[in-house]
Amino acid sequence: MSRLTGAGEQRGAEVIDEQGDTVPLPLVPPDDDGPQPFMRKLPPAVGPIVKKVALGLAVCLVAGAGYAGLRQIADAPADPNSPVAQPPQTSTTPNEAAEGVRRAVAGEAVLQKMADAVENDNRTEFLATIDPRAAEFRATARTIFANLTNLPIGAFTLRYVSDDTGALTPDRQSELGGSESWLAQVEVSWQLAGYDTKPAREMLPVTFVSRDGTTYAASFSERFVAGQRRPIWTLGPIDVAKSDHSLVISLGSESDARAYVAVADRAVESVSKVWGKSNWRQKVIVYLPAKQAQMEAVLGAAPNTYTQIAAVTMAEVDTPQVGAPVRIVANPKLFEELGKQGRRIVLTHETTHVASTATASPVPLWLAEGFADYVAFTAVPVQDESAAKELFKAIRAGDVPATLPTTQSFAASSKDLPQAYESAWLACRLIAEREGQSKLVKFYRAVHASKSSTGLADAFKSVLDMTETEFVVEWQKYLKRLAGA
């Protein structure tokens, strides 16, 4: 499971709303049990202030709209109630080996028929692979097939990987009946035509049962192990809306999907103004779960892990690779509360991660998150005094950052989390103000493209004509000036 690189911090904010009004927002107080790393929900607003408060909440949560990068494996906690992955039972005798091969051949044949049915849009053939006695799963299978038909599937494969003869309890085997039943791990891969350059890949637990000489699939959801992600198309009926630049997959409603297409398209436009149009595909895929539990299932996380996280950008593969398919996964409750402009801030931040391939990049976190904030707050202007409130408060007390934010300072438990995001944003903005926005983009790309351990230092010298130490001195002066210290 990939980790988050941050969490929404406690800070007040002041934003320019759609009418040009500047609205200060309150600092959210800690709960009774002390400060927590996640942003608390703002108190209900009434009257015309509702839109402005929602926009301010987005500013507070935008740091929580981090990315789940392939270079940050296994940080978001997995569900402790899920079984822990165990090595598959291996055959120790020639007979056991032969039985394993026999099961694999039978299971692979079922999977191939399933994949062919999806490719040929043949619902009857797909359902023919489902255990006729598994009534509940047959209903789920109908939904899964409808979902796959609804998606712009360019390629779809199922590959039998391994099985575990001891995974099913005796009671479960008795319930399934038949002459034999077993659980296998299956690699499922799918590519969304027009959006993905490589297929998404996940492991899916598939239960097989043989009866009357025929092998069937009897479940796609038996014994998910801790940290195992679930494809969104297995979680319930989906609705899909798309445009030239965005594909929105909603577990809620078609109207939700259509509404978010316009927001995602505007985010793509805002990012392209800064990042450029020719250096990325200008396409985003947004997942809109109907419940937070569905979000956490997609991410393979424990319940309530993302309660105060507005959105996450993740690569939908299990092993690092360049060009991996990337998805923006929204937290449904928080996204609904953010309002139109708030959703624009968060989606612009996330889309910046997509464009800059942050999920598979060597750039330091201060640059990845600072740049994403820079682009988001360029699209929706933010008042310095409120957006950098915690940082300015520390500077006025004499605590000026000695270095650029470290990786550790972006941890959800870090007491310096608010200052980390605020100072990273202002570091990127300083580069843009001092050298021009194009130089900021060039600097990011230089660090991203470097294969050297000295890539950051090299970019400081080659792009900005200064050392990191010299930049930090300039940055400290800049922060003190902005803070009035």
Side-chain angles (χ1 to χ4, degrees):
M1 165 58 198
S2 301
R3 71 179 262 187
L4 270 180
T5 61
E9 67 269 24
Q10 299 176 8
R11 68 182 184 190
E14 198 172 61
V15 297
I16 308 299
D17 75 356
E18 291 170 290
Q19 284 73 43
D21 297 326
T22 300
V23 183
L25 297 170
L27 180 66
V28 181
D31 288 339
D32 293 338
D33 58 353
Q36 298 293 326
F38 297 128
M39 168 73 185
R40 304 305 188 281
K41 181 179 176 181
L42 287 170
V46 295
I49 197 73
V50 171
K51 182 192 301 182
K52 300 173 182 178
V53 170
L55 181 53
L57 177 59
V59 176
C60 297
L61 288 173
V62 72
Y67 61 88
L70 293 175
R71 60 192 173 130
Q72 291 111 11
I73 302 298
D75 186 62
D79 187 348
N81 296 317
S82 295
V84 178
Q86 300 290 340
Q89 294 186 5
T90 56
S91 301
T92 57
T93 68
N95 284 342
E96 289 173 339
E99 287 298 295
V101 170
R102 180 186 57 77
R103 288 193 301 273
V105 170
E108 185 67 36
V110 174
L111 298 175
Q112 187 60 56
K113 289 177 182 177
M114 279 186 171
D116 289 345
V118 171
E119 182 178 352
N120 298 325
D121 195 16
N122 191 322
R123 180 175 178 269
T124 300
E125 288 300 315
F126 186 85
L127 293 178
T129 67
I130 307 302
D131 181 12
R133 297 190 186 179
E136 185 176 346
F137 180 58
R138 287 187 70 82
T140 299
R142 292 187 184 94
T143 298
I144 288 174
F145 184 81
N147 287 345
L148 292 172
T149 301
N150 204 11
L151 290 170
I153 297 289
F156 183 83
T157 63
L158 294 162
R159 183 173 67 88
Y160 193 103
V161 176
S162 64
D163 63 29
D164 184 350
T165 56
L168 300 179
T169 66
D171 286 346
R172 176 56 172 153
Q173 289 180 321
S174 176
E175 178 187 1
L176 287 166
S179 58
E180 184 180 26
S181 57
W182 71 96
L183 180 69
Q185 291 298 323
V186 171
E187 181 190 72
V188 55
S189 68
W190 70 99
Q191 189 167 351
L192 300 179
Y195 297 90
D196 294 337
T197 58
K198 290 185 177 181
R201 297 182 187 276
E202 294 185 16
M203 296 300 293
L204 194 67
V206 178
T207 301
F208 293 97
V209 60
S210 294
R211 65 176 85 256
D212 302 325
T214 303
T215 299
Y216 302 97
S219 173
F220 274 5
S221 58
E222 198 126 26
R223 288 180 62 85
F224 271 93
V225 299
Q228 191 166 5
R229 293 179 287 111
R230 307 189 189 198
I232 192 170
W233 41 266
T234 66
L235 299 178
I238 63 171
D239 287 288
V240 178
K242 61 182 179 178
S243 68
D244 290 340
H245 296 294
S246 61
L247 175 69
V248 179
I249 301 171
S250 172
L251 282 162
S253 69
E254 185 178 356
S255 61
D256 285 345
R258 289 198 306 268
Y260 278 92
V261 162
V263 184
D265 281 353
R266 196 169 183 188
V268 169
E269 179 184 359
S270 296
V271 171
S272 293
K273 286 179 180 179
V274 178
W275 186 250
K277 295 182 178 180
S278 61
N279 297 286
W280 69 301
R281 290 171 56 82
Q282 296 188 78
K283 293 179 182 291
V284 294
I285 296 174
V286 180
Y287 285 172
L288 291 179
K291 297 179 268 187
Q292 185 179 306
Q294 293 172 333
M295 175 194 187
E296 288 159 346
V298 167
L299 298 171
N304 301 316
T305 300
Y306 296 104
T307 300
Q308 300 298 341
I309 301 300
V312 178
T313 298
M314 73 165 188
E316 201 160 31
V317 291
D318 286 327
T319 55
Q321 58 180 269
V322 176
V326 176
R327 319 299 192 214
I328 297 171
V329 187
N331 183 324
K333 186 175 186 296
L334 289 180
F335 249 50
E336 182 63 27
E337 293 174 352
L338 290 179
K340 182 178 178 182
Q341 288 291 78
R343 288 190 284 270
R344 184 182 172 200
I345 290 175
V346 173
L347 278 180
T348 303
H349 179 109
E350 295 299 317
T351 301
T352 303
H353 287 322
V354 175
S356 58
T357 60
T359 57
S361 176
V363 298
L365 293 187
W366 74 262
L367 182 54
E369 294 296 352
F371 183 66
D373 270 0
Y374 170 81
V375 178
F377 294 152
T378 297
V380 180
V382 180
Q383 291 295 317
D384 293 353
E385 183 60 37
S386 291
K389 189 171 186 175
E390 294 301 308
L391 176 62
F392 289 174
K393 180 180 177 181
I395 291 172
R396 288 164 187 157
D399 186 11
V400 180
T403 64
L404 291 164
T406 64
T407 298
Q408 291 72 27
S409 64
F410 286 96
S413 58
S414 172
K415 65 181 179 61
D416 298 322
L417 183 63
Q419 294 95 315
Y421 275 95
E422 293 164 8
S423 57
W425 163 50
L426 291 174
C428 289
R429 200 180 75 175
L430 171 60
I431 295 173
E433 290 180 0
R434 182 180 182 273
E435 304 288 341
Q437 183 172 278
S438 61
K439 275 288 185 71
L440 170 60
V441 174
K442 184 177 181 181
F443 177 72
Y444 189 108
R445 289 180 181 150
V447 180
H448 170 74
S450 176
K451 300 186 184 306
S452 169
S453 60
T454 61
L456 180 63
D458 296 342
F460 267 115
K461 198 64 180 173
S462 64
V463 180
L464 303 182
D465 194 26
M466 64 189 337
T467 66
E468 181 175 342
T469 300
E470 290 170 335
F471 175 76
V472 167
V473 171
E474 292 297 319
W475 172 63
Q476 289 170 327
K477 293 177 181 177
Y478 180 66
L479 295 181
K480 287 192 285 186
R481 177 169 59 82
L482 291 176

